Structure formats: structure tokens, C-alpha cells
Amino acid sequence: MSEEDEFELEPIEILELPLDAWHRDKGARMVEFAGYHMPIQYEGIMAEHIWTRENAGLFDVSHMGQLMLTGEGAAEALEAMVPGDISALKEGKMRYSLLLGEDGGILDDMMITAVPMGLYVVVNGAVKWDDMGYLREHLPDEITINHMDDRALLALQGPKAVDALVRVVPGVDALYFMEAGSFFWGPKTDPEPLWISRSGYTGEDGFEISVPAAHAKALADQICAQPEVKPIGLGARDSLRLEAGLPLYGHDMNPDIDPVEASAAFAVSKRRRAEGGFFGSDRILNGLANGPARKLVGLSVEGKMPVREGAPVFAGDTQVGVITSGGFGPSVGAPIAMGYIDAGHNATGSMLEAEVRGKRVSVTVSSLPFIPHHYHRKGAQT
């Protein structure tokens, strides 16, 4: 055996989602993402983006990890690793939170919902195995972690999402933003239970639907049969979330960054600020009190040239930051970006320059989101 053969790596298997054939039948261009074949686009990123903003788009997000934490004291135990007030969550209510390393760095962002069995937690697909191992390591043995890998996850997003989904699953219109519940779908003689939340990753009103993988195709077919709905790929999902100022884990957040730096201080609940006691609480509470040395901000880009992840940002000859997400914002009609900018240069309106292919491009620190959120909040005027 030669030295080359000895160190040859086995190819990593790319997995298929339950709807893999469904995407291909609809003409999707498939790419590898988070270890899965996933649809990046169907008819085109720009058209799919605009369709979602104006109508409703169906996204397959089954690569994400759906976990169920059960056992007495699960919420209190999880609070050692997240900065949110999880034990106060009432059944059917959701909270966005952050999984923290022991030093307060962000290992993942997640959605946590109080359900009759315990806590339903949705984590990012690219790090779900790491998350499960970390939770198992730090949660007490009496807390059970069930990876619900027999379920698919669909997201229906856009201003007409409720009109379409209520025909398929009656009653979902009763949910408000960040609420969830169990609904029945299918024939009355043999209905299928779905877990549906009013939430999403586009800045628009919408729903996320957990369905047994065996029934995902039938549900996707029925939703896409509604005149408001088209299937939408990962490309438009990224431009939609960027316009909405929503971070992508592994790009805008990572283990070196804490919640205050990530402009996610809202995820540190009032009780936890007062009590501390979570991983990295000293670092995070100090950042809240004194301000972070760098901060995630929005950046408007002058001209038509997009600035991409990794581009350095300068104030004069001094580098003061780096781009973490960037691209064209179809609804904004211009290139936009997010990035980490040092204190003293990250106030809204600050004029800086990004370096793209050796050329300087003018950028201006912008408030987030780039376009308003349209969530269906309780008490909000419609």
C-alpha cells in the first residue's frame, strides 16, 4: 500500500431528504448543503424571492434537526446552556434561543417550543449532530433526547401563506407569531397529526410544519396545489433571510462570537440577565453592560457590485471589520450585506469601504432589517 493509498479518505455520503424525488420532478437544481442533496432553485432565485414576498412559497427544511427533550426539569436543565427563560414558556409558545459554549460563544441558534411531552427543539442541519452530542454531554441523564428523524419539516412563507394553508389544515389561522399547536390533516376517518408553528426565516408571515416523512409528499402536493403557492429553493431562502436581517449560523454566528456581538441580546431574557448562571454569563453580561468590541450590523452597498462573505471592511487604511453575508436583495433592489464592524465604526450611517477583488466599494452601516418584518403578532393591527 502506498502512502497515498494509506491516507485516502472515504467519500462522504450525501444524504437524501424525504422529498428528494419530488424536488427533482419539479425541475429543481440540486446542490449539497448540510450533508444533503437540496434544491437551490426551481425557476430562478429572483423570481422565487419575489413570489414569496408577494404570495407564498413552500420550502423543504427537513435537513434541520427536530429534537424532543423529555424528563422532569428539562427546561431548567437546558437553561444552563441557553440565555433564555425557558422554564417560563407556556405550552404552545416558542422562543428563539442560542446554544452556548462554556465560554459564551454561540454553538447554534435554535427554536424552542413548550409541548405537552416536554420541549420541541429545532436546530440547524449542519450542526445537529454536534448539538445532540453537546446536549447529551451536559444534560442530566434523566433527560431524554429524541431525534425525530422520521419526520420532515416544511416551511410555508409569505403574505398569502395563511390563505393557502387554512384550506389544507383548517384552524391554523388561529395561531399568532411564535405560537404552535397540533393539527389534524387528511381524511376524517384517518387524519394525520401535524405539529405546526407560526414562524419562519423570511421576515414574512408563515408556518413551519412537522409531518411524518412518509406523508411529506402528499402534504407538499396538496399545499402546492393552492394557487398562492410555488416551491422555493435555498437560493431565495438565503436572499429572503438576508433582507430580513436574520443571521445564518456558521456565517453570521460561530463559536467565537457571543450573543451581544451577534446583535442577539434580545435572546438574553430579563430574568437571566438578573440571575446569570448560564454558560458564559460573565462575558455576556459584561458585553451587555459595557458594549461589545465588535457588532453584527447591516451594510448598504453603493453601486451594483455585491460584496460577499469574507470581504474585509476598511475605515481609510485600517481594517475595521469583515463581511459575513452578502448578495443582491431583490426586494431592496440593491446589493446588501451583514458583517462584524468594530466599535467606533458601527453606528448607523457610518461610511466605510469593502474590498472586492482588489477594488474598494463604498458601504454604509444600515439598521436591520433591510425590509420590514410582516409577522402576524397578537394585538398588532392588520
Side-chain angles (χ1 to χ4, degrees):
M1 180 185 291
S2 70
E3 188 174 319
E4 188 175 323
D5 291 335
E6 187 179 347
F7 292 102
E8 187 175 344
L9 297 175
E10 287 291 319
I12 297 171
E13 181 186 4
I14 301 175
L15 304 175
E16 290 185 359
L17 298 174
L19 288 176
D20 186 89
W22 186 88
H23 296 305
R24 296 176 191 276
D25 288 346
K26 293 197 173 295
R29 184 159 75 84
M30 306 294 281
V31 298
E32 187 277 328
F33 180 80
Y36 293 87
H37 293 290
M38 294 192 66
I40 191 167
Q41 66 179 61
Y42 299 84
E43 59 182 278
I45 292 171
M46 183 88 73
E48 292 170 29
H49 177 113
I50 297 300
W51 180 269
T52 304
R53 285 271 183 252
E54 296 177 351
N55 299 281
L58 185 68
F59 302 78
D60 181 7
V61 290
S62 301
H63 64 297
M64 299 183 77
Q66 300 182 69
L67 313 179
M68 187 69 70
L69 307 186
T70 56
E72 189 172 348
E76 291 79 7
L78 185 60
E79 283 186 352
M81 289 169 271
V82 303
D85 190 351
I86 309 306
S87 55
L89 270 183
K90 293 182 169 58
E91 189 176 311
K93 302 292 186 182
M94 307 171 64
R95 183 152 286 160
Y96 173 85
S97 200
L98 303 164
L99 185 64
L100 301 174
E102 293 184 29
D103 64 351
I106 302 171
L107 302 182
D108 200 5
D109 58 347
M110 52 176 50
M111 298 293 278
I112 303 170
T113 310
V115 300
M117 288 178 63
L119 296 173
Y120 170 64
V121 181
V122 178
V123 300
N124 281 295
V127 290
K128 63 184 176 184
W129 301 109
D130 294 334
D131 288 358
M132 284 186 269
Y134 188 76
L135 290 168
R136 182 67 284 155
E137 179 185 353
H138 291 283
L139 287 173
D141 291 343
E142 53 268 28
I143 307 299
T144 299
I145 304 169
N146 177 25
H147 179 208
M148 303 161 67
D149 56 359
D150 59 344
R151 299 186 73 84
L153 191 63
L154 306 178
L156 183 64
Q157 301 284 296
K160 298 180 182 177
V162 63
D163 302 324
L165 192 59
V166 76
R167 292 188 212 109
V168 178
V169 186
V172 293
D173 52 332
L175 293 173
Y176 286 96
F177 180 58
M178 298 295 274
E179 291 182 346
S182 185
F183 295 84
F184 288 99
W185 158 72
K188 292 182 180 178
T189 52
D190 188 26
E192 194 64 43
L194 307 175
W195 183 259
I196 302 178
S197 63
R198 199 155 192 171
S199 57
Y201 192 50
T202 62
E204 298 296 332
D205 183 24
F207 301 86
E208 292 176 307
I209 308 155
S210 178
V211 55
H215 300 286
K217 180 182 181 299
L219 180 60
D221 281 339
Q222 196 170 349
I223 293 173
C224 276
Q226 307 308 309
E228 301 89 349
V229 182
K230 288 183 178 181
I232 309 295
L234 281 179
R237 186 170 185 255
D238 192 54
S239 58
L240 288 160
R241 69 92 192 166
L242 179 57
E243 288 185 340
L246 301 174
L248 176 62
Y249 189 78
H251 300 262
D252 309 301
M253 292 176 167
N254 64 51
D256 295 326
I257 293 164
D258 69 43
V260 184
E261 294 172 316
S263 295
F266 64 89
V268 187
S269 300
K270 184 178 179 181
R271 174 176 68 83
R272 309 307 305 282
R273 295 184 186 212
E275 297 177 2
F278 51 89
F279 285 167
S281 57
D282 289 348
R283 169 186 175 181
I284 292 166
L285 297 178
N286 180 64
L288 285 169
N290 300 308
R294 57 181 174 173
K295 188 174 74 169
L296 182 66
V297 298
L299 295 158
S300 300
V301 182
E302 188 177 299
K304 297 183 178 180
M305 184 182 292
V307 298
R308 303 291 185 185
E309 179 180 1
V313 179
F314 293 88
D317 294 330
T318 305
Q319 183 173 347
V320 296
V322 64
I323 301 298
T324 53
S325 285
F328 186 77
S331 301
V332 176
I336 53 176
M338 293 196 293
Y340 282 87
I341 306 297
D342 293 345
H345 300 279
N346 58 27
T348 299
S350 299
M351 300 182 72
L352 304 166
E353 290 180 311
E355 189 170 285
V356 182
R357 298 175 194 160
K359 295 181 179 179
R360 294 289 184 96
V361 177
S362 295
V363 297
T364 304
V365 176
S366 171
S367 59
L368 293 173
F370 293 100
I371 64 162
H373 294 161
H374 298 113
Y375 303 135
H376 183 65
R377 299 182 186 275
K378 187 173 287 189
Q381 291 185 332
T382 56

